[in-house]
Amino acid sequence: MNKGGRPPVVDWEVVKYEVFRLMEHHANFSPDDPEWNAQARLEEKIEDFCRDKFGMRPGRTTIQDHIAPWLREWKQGKTATPGNPET
């Protein structure tokens, strides 16, 4: 079924996987790590990833809109304890 509208520039499920992979690799942002000190470093990596993988680069705001809930999800997964996903 055609939803209409413009098709997505990138496959956001693939991008989500890359966000989680990068966060697992680098861990949370740290002011002590100039290469991974803020969400902006992740956004830059995702811009590069999209350009290399899909030949297109979404705008920074579009990337921010997509990765914000994924970062919350990743952080919640890091603070959850076995048997109690609410912590």
Side-chain angles (χ1 to χ4, degrees), residues 72-87:
R72 284 192 299 274
E73 182 181 337
W74 181 82
K75 288 176 183 178
Q76 286 174 342
K78 290 298 171 189
T79 59
T81 57
N84 187 8
E86 299 298 318
T87 58

Side-chain angles (χ1 to χ4, degrees), residues 35-51:
E35 292 184 18
W36 203 250
N37 60 0
Q39 181 177 325
R41 303 299 81 73
L42 174 61
E43 294 164 7
E44 292 163 359
K45 294 278 188 188
I46 293 302
E47 283 179 353
D48 293 343
F49 174 80
C50 289
R51 184 192 64 235

